[in-house]
Amino acid sequence: MDHLGELKEFARLHARGQGISERQVAAVLPRITNDEPGHPASWARVWTAEADRLAFAGRPLDACRRYALARFPYHGDDDRRRAQDKCVRTFDDWRRRRGVERVVLDHPDGRVACWASGLDARRSRPLLLIMGGIVSVKEQWAPLLPRLSRLGYAAVATEMPGVGENTLRYHADSWRLLPFLLDRLAGRARVSDTSVLGLSFSGHLALRAAAEDTRIRSIHTVGAPVAGFFTDPVWWPRVPAITVETLRRLTGAADHDELRVLLQDFALGPDVLRGVDVPVGYVVSARDEIIPPTERQLLGCALPRVRFKEFDDVHGSPAHLGAMRKWLIGSLLRARVTNKARGVRPLPAARRAGVAGTVGAGAGGAERSGSGDLRPTGPSGHVVTGAANRASGPAAATGTTGAAEAAPQRPRVAPAE
């Protein structure tokens, strides 16, 4: 598929996730003939014109959603940068009467912007941190903030490094952004009881951060890369070109060869994952074109407290948006009850032993993912728990890893939810 074809295919999926109907998308896509900056029939210009029309008609949230598509997959040219700015401005117009506030934080390496609801220095609430992936801006998730606030959370939506208004560079230590956010929000939320709704690549950041920061009490994610995506040379050629190019831009890699080298350090091995002793809810897409199936296998074996929900869909399960959101909210509330019953979270065993290690240590065994022969069995919708499936033997005892540990026996399958 060529570049424009990929853009249009991704647009159909991301539009659906934002509540833009297939009919509305179908009315716009035929008018787009190229992706040349400045061309009147280009991707960014056509979507921006559609958004401008809706903004003029007094529909700022609908306009915001089209601007988000106009800047897709990242704001790398003047047209997309203008669309990015208008995306923020129109959401700013929409949110003012809905209890959503803007929070801008100065980071040592740049600036991080957030939308938030429920922050209150006088009545501290549990923190829910929401972050999209490498192509989705915070404005796509921020309309949910008032609802989440009504559930009793201080809810904050922000972006991954390099995405939207986040000016940081994306690298193997980007997980440290999450502890930074918790530090800065500590005066207005109960950050010692933090849940992370981290979609796709931000789920990877959340897993790595939770191995170090005991304030993170639960993680809920959709199609997060873990190890094989970053290291598997067999799987990599199947990754869509838009995903690859977006990663190259966010990391600052000069070319795809340099990108492949940089990504090796992002992989999370079982030694790191065993330190994530919190509830993890993970949505699996059975036809995921980005995330290899062995990520599920690795998580099911290494995480002490993981549950999976599978949909017969592509990356992000956009055709099952309602069911996916319902499951994620259920996962979030279930974790809140479970954590309350368990009391204060202890320090992860891996950290007590001092073997949390460097990002990417011991992930080599996951490189078998390209063959697909490690995919767990079980019909769509089954839940897999990881408590009884952690690796045992010398490798587990010493904190070292190898191929046998990265792909141990299949997790048991519990009854469907």
Side-chain angles (χ1 to χ4, degrees):
M1 187 181 300
D2 63 14
H3 172 70
L4 187 60
E6 271 198 5
L7 276 176
K8 291 186 175 184
E9 185 61 29
F10 272 86
R12 293 184 181 95
L13 302 179
H14 281 264
R16 186 183 304 161
Q18 295 186 75
I20 304 174
S21 71
E22 293 184 18
R23 178 183 58 81
Q24 291 170 324
V25 173
V28 175
L29 291 186
R31 308 203 305 264
I32 302 172
T33 63
N34 64 81
D35 191 26
E36 301 172 16
H39 194 288
S42 68
W43 174 270
R45 286 288 180 94
V46 171
W47 277 114
T48 296
E50 183 68 11
D52 288 343
R53 180 182 66 81
L54 291 166
F56 183 77
R59 297 165 59 185
L61 187 58
D62 287 333
C64 174
R65 290 164 172 164
R66 273 72 174 181
Y67 288 130
L69 285 176
R71 50 79 57 200
F72 183 89
Y74 55 87
H75 47 289
D77 57 61
D78 288 342
D79 287 342
R80 283 178 164 87
R81 280 188 285 273
R82 281 190 288 270
Q84 165 66 38
D85 292 342
K86 289 183 175 183
C87 179
V88 173
R89 288 204 302 269
T90 48
F91 185 83
D92 191 46
D93 183 31
W94 177 85
R95 62 93 189 176
R96 290 181 182 276
R97 296 179 298 278
R98 291 170 174 84
V100 176
E101 66 173 294
R102 180 169 169 81
V103 178
V104 179
L105 304 173
D106 289 325
H107 185 278
D109 299 324
R111 188 183 75 163
V112 182
C114 315
W115 300 113
S117 185
L119 294 177
D120 191 337
R122 296 167 298 178
R123 187 172 64 123
S124 182
R125 299 178 174 190
L127 177 64
L128 174 58
L129 188 63
I130 307 166
M131 189 180 293
I134 59 173
V135 297
S136 58
V137 290
K138 62 188 178 302
E139 288 75 23
Q140 293 179 224
W141 315 107
L144 297 173
L145 293 174
R147 298 182 189 178
L148 295 169
S149 178
R150 288 194 290 272
L151 290 176
Y153 290 98
V156 177
T158 190
E159 291 148 328
M160 284 190 58
V163 178
E165 291 189 275
N166 189 318
T167 62
L168 280 61
R169 178 67 57 84
Y170 182 41
H171 50 72
D173 280 342
S174 287
W175 62 270
R176 298 182 187 278
L177 173 62
L178 275 67
F180 166 82
L181 290 169
L182 269 55
D183 290 344
R184 297 296 300 272
L185 295 169
R188 304 185 64 197
R190 195 189 313 154
V191 298
S192 60
D193 187 4
T194 295
S195 299
V196 180
L197 182 57
L199 293 311
S200 192
F201 283 78
S202 64
H204 166 265
L205 298 187
L207 289 167
R208 182 63 183 90
E212 299 289 337
D213 195 326
T214 60
R215 295 174 295 180
I216 297 175
R217 302 293 304 280
S218 70
I219 298 169
H220 314 273
T221 186
V222 180
V226 184
F229 172 85
F230 300 110
T231 62
D232 189 344
V234 178
W235 179 264
W236 184 255
R238 302 165 60 173
V239 177
I242 283 179
T243 302
V244 173
E245 184 58 25
T246 301
L247 283 170
R248 189 200 64 75
R249 187 260 179 185
L250 297 184
T251 59
D255 53 37
H256 290 181
D257 290 338
E258 183 179 344
L259 174 64
R260 294 290 293 123
V261 173
L262 290 175
L263 292 181
Q264 301 297 308
D265 290 335
F266 286 65
L268 306 181
D271 55 337
V272 172
L273 295 172
R274 278 194 297 270
V276 185
D277 189 17
V278 300
V280 176
Y282 189 107
V283 173
V284 177
S285 300
R287 292 179 283 115
D288 202 314
E289 73 281 20
I290 296 176
I291 305 303
T294 47
E295 305 293 43
R296 171 178 179 165
Q297 177 78 15
L298 176 59
L299 292 175
C301 295
L303 290 182
R305 302 163 65 189
V306 63
R307 301 172 70 91
F308 295 102
K309 177 70 173 181
E310 181 175 322
F311 294 105
D312 183 18
D313 208 340
V314 296
H315 182 69
S317 294
H320 296 82
L321 183 63
M324 181 182 68
R325 286 183 175 174
K326 181 179 179 181
W327 190 85
L328 287 171
I329 295 299
S331 177
L332 178 69
L333 298 178
R334 181 189 301 115
R336 184 159 73 176
V337 172
T338 301
N339 283 332
K340 186 175 181 179
R342 285 171 63 100
V344 178
R345 174 187 166 196
L347 191 67
R351 289 183 59 194
R352 290 199 303 269
V355 295
T358 305
V359 177
E367 293 187 8
R368 294 174 57 195
S369 62
S371 65
D373 60 346
L374 300 181
R375 177 190 287 272
T377 58
S380 176
H382 277 189
V383 180
V384 182
T385 58
N389 303 295
R390 285 173 285 173
S392 59
T398 62
T400 59
T401 58
E405 185 179 8
Q409 294 183 354
R410 292 180 177 182
R412 63 182 176 83
V413 179
E417 289 196 330

